[in-house]
Amino acid sequence: MNPPSSLLFSPARLGPLTLANRIAMAPMTRSRATADGTPTPLMAEYYAQRASAGLIVTEGVSISAQGQGFLNVPGIFTDAHEAAWRPIVQRVHDAGSRVFMQLWHVGRIAHPDNMQAGEFPVAPSALAFDRTVVTPTGLQPPPVPRELSDEGVRAVIADYARAARRAVDAGCDGVEIHAANGYLPGQFLHQSSNLRTDGWGGSIGGRARFLVETARACCEAVGADRVGVRLSPFSVFNGASSTDDAALHDHLLRELAPLGLIYLHVVTAEVAGNQTVVREGGADRPDVVGFARERWPHGLIAAGGFDRDSAERELAAGRADVIAFGRDFIGNPDLPERLRHGHPLVPRQPADWYGAGAEGYTDYPLWTAERAGLANDTHKEAP
Ligand SMILES: Cc1cc2nc3c(=O)[nH]c(=O)nc-3n(C[C@H](O)[C@H](O)[C@H](O)COP(=O)(O)O)c2cc1C
């Protein structure tokens, strides 16, 4: 039984949608698509297993061949991609959940060895990402990206809108523009990656324009109540930094709010990308959720470092409408049930996160099976 005060397990409204609970599965790249980005039946199994979440946000999905920078990431830019997503979305719907597809263009965080022949990374400015990315031959630094022309920027925005259309045609309830974690929209937002002096850079308004125009184009393509945006304000993950971060995000949220998007999804300062941030000496963490709530009049999803108690507290305080869980959903397909009853969670196993095949992907047990296994083990050990 739910404790009477539980908000996490009670139904929620998100725009026009009713969610079975306030738990979302956070978007997580799992690299199980084919080399050309076609989603696989195994992915349908994986997502259906996790459909007790009120909402599933898919892993990042490439909006174009140009936007793909990692191996075996699914796409949504060909008829074959769209057709292969349809049964995945159907399985999740049949199991009672909702699906938003996360639209992803990685910009400069890409290596040509991970891209289709003839493709090359693009970005707001010809500034290389100064770390390495995984490629078939090991870790390699990405090359200096090609700076997008004005026409090129507009073409990418059109790609987002087309991808949004395809996602909805594949049955998705909506799309989430991935503007967190330093990928292409983040590269436009931040001073560290945007040196442009035209209308797509310079001032805060110029740097925010790419994301605002992308969101507007997606709203025109599929309707504002099918478009969400994910942001990681104050994070410097993937080399995203600006000296005016607070003013930038303040402006951005004020520009996005009138579009009437279904939700904003923010990543807390507890995490950077896929890892918990360790802060020395109790250094202050920016209150990302509070910052967003003050400025955002629509649905708000918070992700990053939550457990059941902190999620309940955030909801009870009215600071967020839905809480997204990431890493714990990988090993616990029935995470809502486990949280609800206080069952132990399967520990995180990062070595499996980006692996291939079913192992570490669709072979995690439900609590009922795990308990039966434990019971059997006990039985075996009994004298
Ligand atoms: C394996 C893995 C892949 C991820 N891929 C994505 C992604 O494609 N898009 C994204 O926005 N965040 C991605 N993230 C970040 C998660 O969505 C989430 O913000 C992060 O794991 C923090 O939430 P948690 O503390 O509940 O795990 C990924 C995280 C992990 C562990």
Side-chain angles (χ1 to χ4, degrees):
M1 281 295 288
N2 291 341
S5 58
S6 172
L7 282 167
L8 199 51
F9 307 105
S10 47
R13 298 283 302 171
L14 194 60
L17 300 178
T18 301
L19 309 183
N21 54 50
R22 290 160 210 250
I23 296 172
M25 177 175 161
M28 282 180 292
T29 295
R30 302 301 312 278
S31 309
R32 260 75 173 188
T34 64
D36 73 357
T38 307
T40 54
L42 193 62
M43 290 168 57
E45 181 64 21
Y46 167 76
Y47 282 114
Q49 286 174 347
R50 287 156 182 79
S52 59
L55 171 69
I56 288 179
V57 183
T58 71
E59 63 207 284
V61 179
S62 307
I63 60 156
S64 60
Q66 181 201 63
Q68 191 212 324
F70 297 97
L71 298 168
N72 299 107
V73 166
I76 185 69
F77 55 90
T78 69
D79 290 347
H81 295 158
E82 188 182 319
W85 274 109
R86 202 164 289 128
I88 298 175
V89 177
Q90 189 62 52
R91 285 279 305 273
V92 175
H93 281 163
D94 289 348
S97 190
R98 307 284 191 171
V99 188
F100 270 57
M101 184 181 287
Q102 192 184 51
L103 301 185
W104 198 17
H105 189 308
V106 299
R108 66 178 185 159
I109 318 282
H111 195 282
D113 291 0
N114 294 346
M115 303 174 81
Q116 291 178 20
E119 296 293 342
F120 195 80
V122 298
S125 298
L127 287 171
F129 176 54
D130 63 0
R131 303 272 176 83
T132 52
V133 294
V134 178
T135 72
T137 53
L139 291 173
Q140 294 195 62
V144 175
R146 186 166 55 73
E147 178 177 314
L148 284 164
S149 63
D150 178 75
E151 200 186 6
V153 175
R154 292 174 198 278
V156 176
I157 293 173
D159 285 341
Y160 273 97
R162 254 191 305 276
R165 187 67 252 165
R166 280 191 183 275
V168 169
D169 287 348
C172 289
D173 299 282
V175 296
E176 175 178 290
I177 299 168
H178 187 0
N181 298 348
Y183 297 104
L184 187 69
Q187 289 157 33
F188 273 95
L189 287 177
H190 287 287
Q191 291 163 337
S192 56
S193 41
N194 186 345
L195 301 179
R196 298 179 77 101
T197 52
D198 64 0
W200 303 103
S203 64
I204 281 177
R207 279 148 49 210
R209 182 170 163 221
F210 177 77
L211 178 53
V212 174
E213 292 304 324
T214 297
R216 201 190 311 278
C218 289
C219 290
E220 278 163 17
V222 296
D225 55 11
R226 290 203 179 95
V227 180
V229 165
R230 190 174 217 221
L231 288 171
S232 51
F234 309 110
S235 167
V236 295
F237 184 70
N238 275 337
S241 67
S242 296
T243 54
D244 53 6
D245 227 359
L248 168 68
H249 285 91
D250 180 68
H251 171 88
L252 183 61
L253 296 188
R254 286 179 206 288
E255 289 274 302
L256 290 175
L259 300 183
L261 307 179
I262 182 168
Y263 69 74
L264 174 68
H265 183 175
V266 290
V267 183
T268 69
E270 298 293 315
V271 294
N274 61 15
Q275 290 187 12
T276 301
V277 176
V278 179
R279 276 192 168 71
E280 304 296 335
D284 280 352
R285 289 165 200 260
D287 178 11
V288 171
V289 180
F291 180 94
R293 191 48 139 188
E294 236 174 72
R295 293 164 175 80
W296 188 252
H298 313 297
L300 186 62
I301 305 176
F306 286 99
D307 59 17
R308 177 188 166 146
D309 290 346
S310 58
E312 288 284 13
R313 277 199 302 275
E314 207 74 340
L315 293 170
R319 283 163 48 86
D321 303 304
V322 172
I323 303 294
F325 293 83
R327 291 165 290 181
D328 286 336
F329 250 120
I330 293 178
N332 300 279
D334 54 350
L335 183 65
E337 224 24 42
R338 288 180 187 245
L339 294 178
R340 189 173 189 161
H341 298 292
H343 299 319
L345 300 186
V346 171
R348 299 169 182 177
Q349 292 165 44
D352 291 337
W353 286 354
Y354 307 103
E359 198 183 333
Y361 188 57
T362 49
D363 59 355
Y364 284 104
L366 300 178
W367 169 249
T368 41
E370 195 181 324
R371 196 180 43 188
L374 290 176
N376 286 341
D377 287 350
T378 313
H379 181 71
K380 266 184 251 145
E381 283 162 17

